[in-house]
Amino acid sequence: MTDPLVSAEGLVKRYPTEESFLARLLGRRRWVRAVDGVDLRIRPGETLALVGESGCGKSTLGRALVHLEEPTAGTVRHRGDDLSALSAADLRDRRRDLQYVFQNPTASLDPRLTVGDAVREALDVHDIGPVGERDRRVVSLLETVGLRPSHASRYPRELSGGQRQRVGIARALAVDPEFIVCDEPVSALDVSVQAGVLNLLSDLQDEFGLTYLLVAHDLSVVGHLADRVAVMYLGELVEVGSVEDVFSPPYHPYTYSLLSAVPEPDPRWEGHRVVLDGAVPSATDPPDGCKFHTRCPIAQADCGEWDAHPDLEAVDGDADHAIACPYHDRLDAELAADR
Ligand code: SF4
């Protein structure tokens, strides 16, 4: 098996909730379990899509993988090296390899900097290339992402949303990275420009041999770019596999509900439509046992009584496709019985 470029082992990220001074004093502080024990291997050159509803922990996991967030527990490795064990200087160097494209290009760009200064800042911070050649490099980067050299003198407010996202991509690209977390890279953009940005990411991957983690809730975006998919629910992974495996039976019941809820389903989709009850439960006080059991269309009596969420288990001996539900083969029968 190919060694992963980036991997997580037992990754946990918790945040304290906002609470009264008295609650803190009495040690009754509560914690949001945003990422709750994730194991993940991202192979060189692939795009792994991370999907799930809003608030399930996708962005937190993405930030932890590039060490924008220090994990509460567990390990993140890049080329086998534990990022938390690196010295400050080594970690700073390593950040060149691990970049992040933010969901909201408007918020991620400093409104006081021109486009040229914003891209050049990345070169200056990491002292990349001779100082006298950096402006030329900025122009080259702008052209690489489909902007004109004249955009260098503009401010973010003078650009469209799609152009601002291209600037964000140019900033990430400036440091010659290996791995980029693309956090909902087109969800804030007009539908008319989304395809252009996705095509750009695909072209850049081919040209520079990039590896992506694509954080997405729109499954049509996933089909456009991804090689594999990891499905996340309340801070845990419930299914991992190739796009073909995850989007075809057998499914984890949560994956099935996500696929059946796509607004314009694939005309080949022959399944039932499953509308999940209610919102994702609170990550501060998640359900016991299988965290999905409060919304699952086939929940069995003991799903909420286990000590922990079920483990990811290989499907039919296929190590590349794993589902965290020992009852997944009952899904068709349960859904048919409900109709
Ligand atoms: S373990 Fe139980 S609750 Fe969880 S997905 Fe499977 S059937 Fe549903």
Side-chain angles (χ1 to χ4, degrees), residues 252-253 290 292-293 296 298 303 306 325 327:
H252 185 283
C290 175
F292 189 53
H293 85 265
C296 178
I298 58 165
C303 297
W306 298 327
C325 172
Y327 306 113

Side-chain angles (χ1 to χ4, degrees), residues 47-196:
T47 296
L48 175 68
L50 184 61
V51 305
E53 291 163 286
S54 293
C56 70
K58 306 185 297 291
S59 294
T60 305
L61 175 56
R63 288 197 298 272
L65 289 177
V66 295
H67 226 259
L68 289 176
E69 303 264 6
E70 178 75 39
T72 307
T75 308
V76 174
R77 295 183 190 278
H78 170 238
R79 293 198 171 278
D81 297 328
D82 178 353
L83 293 183
S84 294
L86 296 179
S87 68
D90 287 344
L91 183 59
R92 189 169 161 278
D93 284 347
R94 202 60 73 102
R95 285 190 191 286
R96 284 182 56 172
D97 293 326
L98 308 169
Q99 289 292 303
Y100 201 94
V101 171
F102 293 86
Q103 176 179 6
N104 185 340
T106 305
S108 64
L109 294 174
D110 185 336
R112 297 162 302 179
L113 295 182
T114 63
V115 166
D117 288 343
V119 177
R120 180 172 169 135
E121 185 181 53
L123 300 173
D124 292 340
V125 165
H126 291 281
D127 196 22
I128 295 173
V131 174
E133 290 181 14
R134 288 181 192 163
D135 286 342
R136 263 205 300 278
R137 170 82 176 131
V138 168
V139 168
S140 165
L141 283 161
L142 293 181
E143 290 176 331
T144 299
V145 298
L147 295 172
R148 293 190 301 276
S150 59
H151 282 112
S153 59
R154 305 245 190 108
Y155 286 89
R157 64 177 179 277
E158 300 175 282
L159 304 181
S160 67
Q163 288 170 331
R164 282 194 286 267
Q165 192 56 293
R166 287 171 189 265
V167 176
I169 294 168
R171 267 175 66 89
L173 216 54
V175 294
D176 197 15
E178 292 185 323
F179 174 64
I180 302 179
V181 174
C182 302
D183 187 354
E184 305 267 13
V186 296
S187 65
L189 306 180
D190 281 353
V191 174
S192 58
V193 298
Q194 289 184 357

Side-chain angles (χ1 to χ4, degrees), residues 238 251-254 289-304 306 309-310 323-328 330-331 334:
V238 298
Y251 305 102
H252 185 283
Y254 180 58
C290 175
K291 290 181 177 177
F292 189 53
H293 85 265
T294 55
R295 303 170 82 202
C296 178
I298 58 165
Q300 303 293 306
D302 51 358
C303 297
W306 298 327
H309 196 89
I323 294 180
C325 172
Y327 306 113
H328 65 78
R330 300 183 193 174
L331 182 60
E334 293 288 340

Side-chain angles (χ1 to χ4, degrees), residues 302-322:
D302 51 358
C303 297
E305 294 169 12
W306 298 327
D307 290 339
H309 196 89
D311 291 333
L312 283 165
E313 302 279 357
V315 177
D316 299 331
D318 177 1
D320 275 348
H321 185 203

Side-chain angles (χ1 to χ4, degrees), residues 143-296:
E143 290 176 331
T144 299
V145 298
L147 295 172
R148 293 190 301 276
S150 59
H151 282 112
S153 59
R154 305 245 190 108
Y155 286 89
R157 64 177 179 277
E158 300 175 282
L159 304 181
S160 67
Q163 288 170 331
R164 282 194 286 267
Q165 192 56 293
R166 287 171 189 265
V167 176
I169 294 168
R171 267 175 66 89
L173 216 54
V175 294
D176 197 15
E178 292 185 323
F179 174 64
I180 302 179
V181 174
C182 302
D183 187 354
E184 305 267 13
V186 296
S187 65
L189 306 180
D190 281 353
V191 174
S192 58
V193 298
Q194 289 184 357
V197 172
L198 292 173
N199 287 337
L200 171 66
L201 289 170
S202 177
D203 292 345
L204 294 174
Q205 183 170 43
D206 291 343
E207 186 173 349
F208 299 108
L210 297 167
T211 302
Y212 292 143
L213 178 78
L214 175 69
V215 176
H217 69 274
D218 180 348
L219 298 187
S220 61
V221 169
V222 173
H224 197 102
L225 260 189
D227 302 298
R228 291 195 303 136
V229 184
V231 183
M232 194 166 187
Y233 186 77
L234 264 185
E236 296 183 338
L237 298 185
V238 298
E239 182 163 2
V240 180
S242 67
V243 172
E244 198 179 7
D245 282 343
V246 172
F247 286 9
S248 312
Y251 305 102
H252 185 283
Y254 180 58
T255 309
Y256 186 98
S257 69
L258 289 180
L259 285 166
S260 82
V262 173
E264 292 174 24
D266 185 325
R268 294 166 297 175
W269 174 256
E270 292 173 354
H272 306 294
R273 182 160 292 273
V274 174
V275 179
L276 294 178
D277 291 334
V280 182
S282 166
T284 307
D285 187 18
D288 293 333
C290 175
K291 290 181 177 177
F292 189 53
H293 85 265
T294 55
R295 303 170 82 202
C296 178

